[in-house]
Amino acid sequence: MREDPAIDYRSFVDARAGTVDRRIFSDQAIHDEEMERIFARCWNFMCHESQIPRAGDFFLNFIGQDSVIATRDRKGGLQVFLNSCRHRGNAVCRADSGRVKSFLCTYHGWTYDLEGKLVGVPGHKSFYHEDLERDKWGLVRAAKVESYKGFVFATMDPETPPLEEYLGPVGRMGLSMAAAHGDVMVVDGVQKNVIGCNWKLAVDNLFDWYHVQISHASAPLSGYLPKLPYKDEDHIVALGEYGHAISGPRTTPEIRAALAGASTAVPLVDERWRDTPEAMAALGPVGVASRGHPNIFPNLWIASSGVQLCLRIPRGPLSTEIWWFTMLDKNMPEDRRRASVERMNHTFGPAGILEQDDGENWSQSTLATRSALARRHPLNFAMNLGRGEIVERQPGVASIDTHINEHAQLWTYRAWADWMTAKDWPALKCDHAMPTGVV
Ligand code: FES
Ligand SMILES: [Fe+2]
């Protein structure tokens, strides 16, 4: 069990004033504690099941800053291990993805099977005299591995609640948006790049529709994207326990029809899948109408209306690795598939017209959290503060109907403070912000 923190993390986030202390974006000690208190305890997205369909398929990912292997064992079970040999700690897997029969450490040759068991030790008889108890020296396994609608998550904490409970209605709705595009699979080739920013500033931007007209002015000016017909006065926010949230504009059948007919350099995502009974059954009225971006706390962004996933992987307080997964229906005709992949590559990701704008802003914001003078002054998240009424919707999730706002951003930081304060899962369960009332 972890001791109560010496630092008062709640003092960094003032939910009444709507401010956040800049030091949480660049302080090394706070960053290190995030690895323990958030990433080592939460459900972390590993991969989609379509990436590891057969025994021995693997995909390398991270839990905080620890490299982990997500793989499928011979019985079809999902396994997640720390990618670190139990002898001297060398990585036992160097490729980003592939298929293996076992994991062979390239240092001295210890070999682990697909369940992480140590099955091969050179010199076991002659050098270890068979004293080494191999069953005690398997790879370190995740405490739990679970999948929701094909999205595989792992946690290192045995006290973490079951995945569905952790996700709650808002997290489940977010993943359901990603699962609603047919028989989905992840396209080969996850795009990866590094941005010099704190991971939380990248996360809070995904709810930010205030910046779009300014930061991304070049996309419609260039003709690459049309000026989207959403209304700034008509937004929906859904806040979930443990920090999950969805926030963004409302879409209607009329807007979807207009977008489907828009002529652009590359085709837009056809949003008319929302007009089906299946979509209503899976998402309810709030989910069908919400064109906002979901975030599964802490760092899984379900982007572009569910056809791209983005992980924001911390690489230290001042650096974030951004991973883009593109998801498409397996049965999509080849010409549409090509056009869709092209659109994904040129919207977000390292070659995307939008993320280049964003990355510059996040870098500058991060730099101004470490300089002696600027860091004395908190950041402002007070837009619409005290005016967001959370209303229960039946059926479906509770939501706020409002204009462009910063409710989900502030909610993310409130949840961050809860996670950082709680000494263990029982404490977090009974002491975290609940999405009720007026925010
Ligand atoms: S470090 Fe892996 S076998 Fe020695
Ligand atoms: Fe942006």
Side-chain angles (χ1 to χ4, degrees), residues 191 216 218-220 222-226 264-269 304 307-308 324 326 337-358:
Q191 296 182 72
H216 301 308
S218 61
S222 67
Y224 178 75
L225 286 176
T264 51
V266 286
L268 296 167
V269 175
S304 252
V307 290
Q308 283 182 290
W324 282 101
T326 295
R337 176 189 168 84
R338 279 177 181 276
S340 298
V341 170
E342 185 182 337
R343 196 193 76 85
M344 308 304 166
N345 289 346
H346 292 290
T347 305
F348 292 115
I353 192 166
L354 299 184
E355 198 164 82
Q356 295 181 34
D357 305 328
D358 291 324

Side-chain angles (χ1 to χ4, degrees), residues 27 106 108 151 184 205 322 382 395 436:
D27 184 279
T106 52
H108 311 93
F151 299 91
V184 293
N205 172 267
I322 313 273
T436 53

Side-chain angles (χ1 to χ4, degrees), residues 327-344:
M327 301 183 54
L328 295 176
D329 186 338
K330 278 180 192 153
N331 307 309
M332 188 177 267
E334 183 57 25
D335 57 334
R336 268 192 63 209
R337 176 189 168 84
R338 279 177 181 276
S340 298
V341 170
E342 185 182 337
R343 196 193 76 85
M344 308 304 166

Side-chain angles (χ1 to χ4, degrees), residues 235-239 250 286 383-393 397-403 405 407-408 411 414 434-439:
H235 277 227
I236 310 173
V237 185
L239 307 178
R250 181 186 308 277
V286 173
M383 189 186 292
N384 208 46
L385 187 64
R387 294 186 168 85
E389 187 185 0
I390 299 171
V391 178
E392 289 291 333
R393 315 277 171 190
V397 303
S399 62
I400 304 166
D401 286 337
T402 184
H403 46 71
N405 64 86
H407 294 303
W411 184 253
R414 283 179 71 179
M434 297 295 288
T436 53
V438 175
V439 289

Side-chain angles (χ1 to χ4, degrees), residues 43 146-151 153 161-181 238-246 273 278-284 286-288 290 293-297 300 302 306 309 392 395-398:
W43 281 103
E146 292 179 19
S147 164
Y148 182 76
K149 295 193 176 182
F151 299 91
F153 289 76
L163 178 61
E164 285 202 32
E165 181 185 330
Y166 171 80
L167 292 169
V170 172
R172 293 197 296 268
M173 192 164 89
L175 289 174
S176 296
M177 285 183 185
H181 296 263
L239 307 178
E241 284 184 74
Y242 306 123
H244 316 304
I246 305 174
W273 61 268
E278 295 80 25
M280 184 58 80
L283 303 176
V286 173
V288 164
S290 172
H293 297 303
N295 188 56
I296 309 299
F297 190 90
L300 177 64
I302 297 156
L309 303 180
E392 289 291 333
V397 303

